[in-house]
Amino acid sequence: MDVLLCRASTLTWSQSISPCLHSSAKPFSRCEAKKFRVFCTSDHTQKASQMTVSVTGATGFIGRRLVQRLQADNHQVRVLTRSRSKAELIFPGKKTRFFPGVMIAEEPQWRDCIQGSTAVVNLAGTPIGTRWSSEIKKEIKESRIRVTSKVVDLINESPEGVRPSVLELVKPKYLMRAAHQEMITWLSDYCAKVYCLVCREWEGTALKVNKDVRLALIRIGIVLGKDGGALAKMIPLFMMFAGGPLGSGQQWFSWIHLDDIVNLIYEALSNPSYRGVINGTAPNPVRLAEMCDHLGNVLGRPSWLPVPEFALKAVLGEGAFVVLEGQRVVPARAKELGFPFKYRYVKDALKAIMS
Ligand SMILES: NC(=O)c1ccc[n+]([C@@H]2O[C@H](COP(=O)([O-])OP(=O)(O)OC[C@H]3O[C@@H](n4cnc5c(N)ncnc54)[C@H](OP(=O)(O)O)[C@@H]3O)[C@@H](O)[C@H]2O)c1
């Protein structure tokens, strides 16, 4: 099939399909999908030649947008999922012809998908925003290590010639020290003692990938988008006039807009300079109270009712630390690489999301 690429240096991907940017887990509609078939690219995207990208966790909040992003530039996508029926609801390719480049594969077919892919992006893992029982804690760790280990083994077993040349692991940002490590300028004791260990093991699993595969470990902040992640939980509270800082409000909130994290992942697929640890957070982290003030302003709702620490612990269990104990993270490496953040300030990011 011929692909028409037209230069449009002022047209960026997200501008060209912005009405679709906040679509949720519901299947993409006919009208939304039509808008993905935009073959104009910016200078930024034009350099990427056609790729075949296998994505685990593609059905999730970040993965869905990444698939749209890849499709918009006419790359082939292989959705590696635990459930074909769930993935087919989200990417109804066969039935509607609107996701023609998306192939869906359950675990037994992952090997065939990975072989012949240009790159693999690993996003899978049990959600962390639920109440942490001891079983959930175990699952949070084991699901990530299990999928990463499987992906790494399948890449390593792939014969040369069909072995992917890039592996991206996208994960939370908790880790203080490692080779080529980016610094986190503030991290609570709890994170340092408990969650870092999970992340270290997780990254350690990814580091077992063959040395001829370029590995990018993208450590991300709290992703802001309308229909998923932290904001999806906060917006309804604010709309009921019950929004406010969680805990003291003084904890750091290292965030990134969904478009920026997807663009960063996308850039890392094709740009060989993106390797090792890269913090995926916006350049200007804020205190949580400031973030809540901006959210209240954007929604036209007050941010006046602080949620006390004990209430959060009652709802989220040990997982409350994710919101109660922040980390201040800056994207030094991404800046060094010249990554063009679209949203540098949380106020602008929230305005764009709510507009
Ligand atoms: N969203 C954020 O703000 C944020 C912040 C920091 C880090 N992260 C990390 O970035 C990654 C992607 O985030 P996300 O928000 O897109 O996640 P998500 O919406 O929760 O989606 C994750 C995907 O992982 C798969 N999955 C769920 N439970 C699993 C299990 N027990 N075993 C194997 N796979 C499982 C599911 O895909 P299938 O059902 O199709 O298999 C799911 O769609 C996650 O590892 C997350 O922890 C996210």
Side-chain angles (χ1 to χ4, degrees), residues 55-64 79-84 86-87 90 107 110 122-128 139-140 142-144 146-147 169-174 195 202 218-224 228-230 254 256 258:
V55 186
T56 72
T59 55
F61 174 47
I62 301 169
R64 291 192 304 267
V79 168
L80 308 189
T81 181
R82 293 163 308 156
S83 161
R84 172 180 295 281
K86 170 184 164 186
I90 294 170
E107 290 206 35
W110 286 16
N122 187 23
L123 294 165
T126 294
I128 61 169
E139 184 59 18
I140 285 174
E142 288 183 0
S143 61
R144 286 168 170 79
R146 187 183 66 78
V147 175
L169 177 68
V170 180
K171 54 171 292 297
K173 53 211 172 301
Y174 311 95
Y195 210 59
W202 192 3
I218 302 191
R219 296 179 180 164
I220 64 179
I222 295 170
V223 180
L224 300 183
S254 297
I256 185 163
L258 183 55

Side-chain angles (χ1 to χ4, degrees), residues 19 68 193 233 291:
Q68 290 175 30
K193 283 187 197 135
K233 296 202 165 112
M291 145 79 189

